[in-house]
């Protein structure tokens, strides 16, 4: 995958890029870039925002600044590229959307700051708008990291162990339910036991028990549960 993140704070992503699964993706051939809107702004003194038409508090990221950043990176060859605006008003991010994005060869995440981003960015420069939840962050950077993290760990070679992404939360193997509980040594700690079935060595019973716990957790997450 070729993944670009446009941001006013590219150095925030240094930590993200140093994470093992991200480094594994890069080693396996993915390319990540963190691009600074200020580096390509057509305005003087690194300006990227302006006051909102119609009045109101705060500043709005300008459409010409975002367009210039995309133009510098891609020229006119954006066709086919998924360009996603991170915004609390976007489509809700979930595991299905992570899988969908992981199948894209090229993905761009646009982080907004200030009060928002000029609506013409969403209308004319983006293919998608994504929210990571019904709350407002100070900007799209953390949201972009969440999306990039969930997407990159789907790529081949991201996780050390080939099976570790298969039977995980919300996967088809678990019928879309959250993952079952895990336990490790010691078998008893402060009187807290590990369920007997996990110590039984009976793989079929372990499998049934895990799927049952996973279904229970799924039911607990239903709205109104
Ligand atoms: N930017 C600010 N808040 C956000 C959210 N909840 N999701 C995506 N981008 C955001």
């Amino acid at each position: 995958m070729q993944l670009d993140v446009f941001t006013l704070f590219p150095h925030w992503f240094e930590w993200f890029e140093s994470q093992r699964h991200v480094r594994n993706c890069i080693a396996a051939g993915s390319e990540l870039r963190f691009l600074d809107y200020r580096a390509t702004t057509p305005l003087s003194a690194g300006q990227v925002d302006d006051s909102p038409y119609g009045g109101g508090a705060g500043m709005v990221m300008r459409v010409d600044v975002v367009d210039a950043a995309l133009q510098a990176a891609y020229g006119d060859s954006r066709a086919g590229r998924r360009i996603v605006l991170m915004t609390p008003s976007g489509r809700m991010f979930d595991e299905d959307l992570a899988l969908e994005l992981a199948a894209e060869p090229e993905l761009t995440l646009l982080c907004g700051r200030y009060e928002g981003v000029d609506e013409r960015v969403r209308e004319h420069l983006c293919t998608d708008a994504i929210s990571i939840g019904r709350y407002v962050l100070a900007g799209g950077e953390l949201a972009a990291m969440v999306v990039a993290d969930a997407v990159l760990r789907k790529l081949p070679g991201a996780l050390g162990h080939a099976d570790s992404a298969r039977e995980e939360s919300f996967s088809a193997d678990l019928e879309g339910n959250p993952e079952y509980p895990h336990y490790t040594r010691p078998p008893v700690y402060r009187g807290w036991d590990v369920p007997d079935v996990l110590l039984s060595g009976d793989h079929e019973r372990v499998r049934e028990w895990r799927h049952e716990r996973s279904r229970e957790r799924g039911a607990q997450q239903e709205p109104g549960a």
Side-chain angles (χ1 to χ4, degrees), residues 1 15 41 50 81 137 148 159 177 187 206-207:
M1 170 177 286
W15 167 83
T41 179
D50 229 316
R81 189 175 190 100
L137 302 166
L159 306 178
N177 289 312
V206 168
R207 206 187 69 81

Side-chain angles (χ1 to χ4, degrees), residues 85-90 112 130-141 143-144:
L85 177 65
M86 302 310 306
T87 166
S89 62
I130 292 180
S131 167
I132 62 159
R134 291 179 56 80
Y135 42 79
V136 183
L137 302 166
E141 282 74 16

Side-chain angles (χ1 to χ4, degrees), residues 123-193:
E123 285 171 354
H124 301 289
L125 301 178
C126 294
T127 58
D128 302 66
I130 292 180
S131 167
I132 62 159
R134 291 179 56 80
Y135 42 79
V136 183
L137 302 166
E141 282 74 16
L142 292 176
M145 279 187 221
V146 167
V147 169
D149 188 285
V151 168
L152 289 176
R153 69 192 296 288
K154 303 270 176 227
L155 300 185
L159 306 178
H161 194 275
D163 276 343
S164 47
R166 265 194 61 214
E167 244 194 28
E168 70 173 6
S169 291
F170 317 115
S171 62
D173 286 25
L174 293 180
E175 300 155 14
N177 289 312
E179 207 171 0
Y180 43 77
H182 296 280
Y183 295 87
T184 186
R185 279 183 278 275
V188 183
Y189 179 70
R190 292 176 57 186
W192 305 329
D193 294 340

